[in-house]
Amino acid sequence: MSHLPTEQLADLTVHSNSEAREGLVPPSPAPSSPRTRRHYSIDTELVFTETTDQYRSSSTPIYQTATFKQESLSNMGEYDYTRSGNPTRTHLERHLARIIGGATRALTVTSGMTALDVITRLLKPGDEVIAGDDLYGGTNRLLKYLSTSGGIVAHHVDTTNVDAVRAVVNEKTAMILLESPTNPLIKIANIPAITALVHEKNPNALVVADNTMLSPMLMAPLELGADIVYESGTKYLSGHHDIMAGVIAVKNNAIGDRLFFVINASGCGLAPFEAWLLERGIKTLGVRLEKQQHNAQLIAEFLESAGFKVRYPGLKSHPQYALHWAQASGAGAVLSLETGSVPLSERIIEGTHIWGISVSFGCVNSLISMPCKMSHASIDAKTRAERDFPEDLIRLCVGIENPDDLIDDLKTALIKAGAVKINNDGSLTRLNL
Ligand code: PLP
């Protein structure tokens, strides 16, 4: 029986076994198996997986093959072509469906941006999309492309303000994209409230949450009401900055089938070796993130006590502290600070040694960056100014090193840059610019 919507089935041109089968049987990989066994806590689920491997291998083998031989002309077997499905990818996807709160199916693709690309292919010309005004630069770039070349109307509003969202939702709204915390201004979107209002005003609109900043370990947007959650597996899930990957999860298998159709049609499913590396990374997500958060909290407190404006939801001074903790179980490991001067920020960044000057986050190594010149440079300066984006903003993405070493390295860079002076008792005083 087909799981594809009829209008999409009508579009299918039959070229190969995998495509021929789409109309007859569930797509491969089949939707994740129902939760028949006991569900353990997430830190157990991250490492506990079951397979049907013939040799009971502890690590799922990498099926580094493009094709699978059929047993006979009439018996196609579970897999025929890796673009459509591969056992290493299936194992990963079923594991993800267990650890992503509220998910019934997970799909893996070649990057976080690919995940969003696949999701936005559910849109058609004339559809309206609501997205934040402090959103990842790549998301902004893709939406701009869809607005200029795909007939999509994109509204950028402050999605951390429920009333701003309420003002733009209408019957043409097909999708709303949420990030929380936002990157890099660390603002919090009220996911349950926005989801409820969007669904009330337009039940067909899909609420899509980018959970890259927190990972399934710290937040479950599907349980908060979102229809689709995606994240860059390049970040916390893999944890070592050695692969690119994207993950999409849904709680409605009909939507999952439509997304799988796009992945199979365009050939952007995650390759077996990357799937294996991502699966390996997921097993240490719990311990990595716990240490990263612990370090991030100490660093945020150090910088705040030195007199800087620090944005981190682990600090009580965060204006949306209560909202964040009502929907997430941790503060994550990304924080940002303002120094008051672009050249000062540049000197601080260049004065660090352990902190790698790099885009991205979620790695075991600590990274420092200046978003307006790096990850968010694709948002032009005028738009950044309109969105109150501080040009001097420094983003810190905290790793698993010793926190004293990280703080010492920052302290040295702050002193060398002329941002603070050290007092006789070892405390720091912020210098006026
Ligand atoms: N979402 C967020 C919040 C990100 O920061 C990024 C990348 O930095 C992406 C999505 C895109 O992920 P990828 O780089 O894996 O395509």
Side-chain angles (χ1 to χ4, degrees):
M1 202 189 73
S2 167
H3 286 240
L4 291 171
T6 39
E7 73 275 14
Q8 292 191 6
L9 278 175
D11 285 337
L12 293 176
T13 315
V14 176
H15 288 306
S16 73
N17 281 347
S18 41
E19 286 168 357
R21 282 187 329 177
E22 272 167 7
L24 306 169
V25 294
S28 173
S32 302
S33 42
R35 291 161 193 263
T36 46
R37 70 159 163 82
R38 177 180 162 190
H39 206 71
Y40 297 101
S41 337
I42 187 159
D43 34 357
T44 303
E45 291 287 350
L46 288 171
V47 288
F48 180 66
T49 57
E50 292 163 299
T51 71
T52 50
D53 176 67
Q54 58 185 323
Y55 300 114
R56 302 182 59 76
S57 67
S58 305
S59 160
T60 305
I62 308 169
Y63 284 88
Q64 191 62 43
T65 179
T67 51
F68 298 82
K69 291 179 188 163
Q70 297 186 189
E71 255 180 52
S72 67
L73 252 186
S74 55
N75 183 355
M76 294 174 189
E78 199 179 342
Y79 299 98
D80 62 353
Y81 196 47
T82 283
R83 172 157 53 74
S84 309
N86 176 288
T88 313
R89 186 157 80 220
T90 305
H91 179 71
L92 168 69
E93 291 177 341
R94 291 185 180 173
H95 187 192
L96 280 162
R98 294 198 75 85
I99 61 171
I100 297 177
T104 53
R105 185 171 187 190
L107 296 157
T108 54
V109 292
T110 54
S111 73
M113 286 319 301
T114 311
L116 184 61
D117 182 42
V118 166
I119 294 165
T120 53
R121 287 181 194 228
L122 300 180
L123 298 168
K124 51 184 190 333
D127 280 349
E128 296 193 7
V129 176
I130 301 171
D133 57 1
D134 171 32
L135 78 176
Y136 170 57
T139 305
N140 193 69
R141 179 167 45 207
L142 182 62
L143 286 179
K144 201 165 177 188
Y145 172 76
L146 290 172
S147 319
T148 50
S149 310
I152 302 302
V153 179
H155 298 282
H156 289 280
V157 301
D158 179 0
T159 45
T160 64
N161 174 349
V162 178
D163 291 330
V165 177
R166 185 177 287 114
V168 283
V169 187
N170 65 66
E171 68 288 349
K172 286 194 192 149
T173 306
M175 199 171 274
I176 165 149
L177 301 180
L178 298 176
E179 287 180 34
S180 188
T182 60
N183 167 24
L185 297 184
I186 321 289
K187 294 198 282 180
I188 310 301
N190 187 335
I191 299 176
I194 291 178
T195 303
L197 99 85
V198 170
H199 286 158
E200 191 196 316
K201 276 197 154 188
N202 183 348
N204 296 323
L206 292 172
V207 178
V208 178
D210 177 341
N211 200 29
T212 309
M213 287 280 276
L214 292 181
S215 90
M217 194 62 203
L218 304 180
M219 191 165 72
L222 294 175
E223 288 174 357
L224 298 172
D227 301 292
I228 302 177
V229 63
Y230 75 98
E231 72 181 82
S232 166
T234 318
K235 313 284 191 292
Y236 291 110
L237 285 178
S238 59
H240 296 75
H241 280 185
D242 49 11
I243 58 161
M244 301 290 302
V247 172
I248 310 172
V250 293
K251 55 189 178 191
N252 172 326
N253 283 340
I255 297 176
D257 286 343
R258 292 175 66 194
L259 295 168
F260 172 74
F261 174 82
V262 175
I263 294 169
N264 186 33
S266 61
C268 63
L270 195 61
F273 185 51
E274 268 70 14
W276 183 84
L277 278 173
L278 184 54
E279 172 67 19
R280 187 170 71 158
I282 287 169
K283 294 188 177 167
T284 55
L285 174 67
V287 281
R288 281 186 282 108
L289 200 47
E290 209 172 294
K291 171 83 169 159
Q292 284 172 281
Q293 283 197 117
H294 172 75
N295 286 354
Q297 183 70 32
L298 295 175
I299 289 162
E301 287 169 9
F302 158 72
L303 290 167
E304 192 169 57
S305 70
F308 292 97
K309 178 176 176 191
V310 181
R311 299 165 190 251
Y312 183 60
L315 292 176
K316 294 241 167 67
S317 56
H318 191 291
Q320 296 166 298
Y321 180 87
L323 172 61
H324 176 79
W325 288 93
Q327 59 187 19
S329 59
V334 177
L335 56 123
S336 57
L337 76 142
E338 283 161 60
T339 66
S341 146
V342 171
L344 182 61
S345 295
E346 288 170 351
R347 288 200 299 278
I348 294 169
I349 291 174
E350 286 178 348
T352 56
H353 181 58
I354 305 174
W355 295 80
I357 305 175
S358 174
V359 292
S360 203
F361 57 89
C363 180
V364 286
N365 298 96
S366 290
L367 308 174
I368 190 164
S369 67
M370 207 156 164
C372 71
K373 289 185 185 266
M374 299 167 69
S375 53
H376 291 63
S378 62
I379 303 175
D380 61 79
K382 184 171 158 280
T383 310
R384 288 200 302 267
E386 282 163 11
R387 296 181 187 173
D388 290 329
F389 193 105
E391 298 284 301
D392 61 323
L393 196 81
I394 296 180
R395 189 179 75 174
L396 297 173
C397 305
V398 185
I400 63 169
E401 301 90 340
N402 181 295
D404 294 339
D405 288 340
L406 290 173
I407 291 175
D408 269 358
D409 199 40
L410 275 178
K411 203 186 274 181
T412 307
L414 291 170
I415 295 169
K416 268 199 314 194
V420 295
K421 79 171 170 61
I422 190 153
N423 304 313
N424 290 339
D425 63 359
S427 62
L428 299 178
T429 300
R430 177 100 191 265
L431 294 174
N432 287 330
L433 295 172

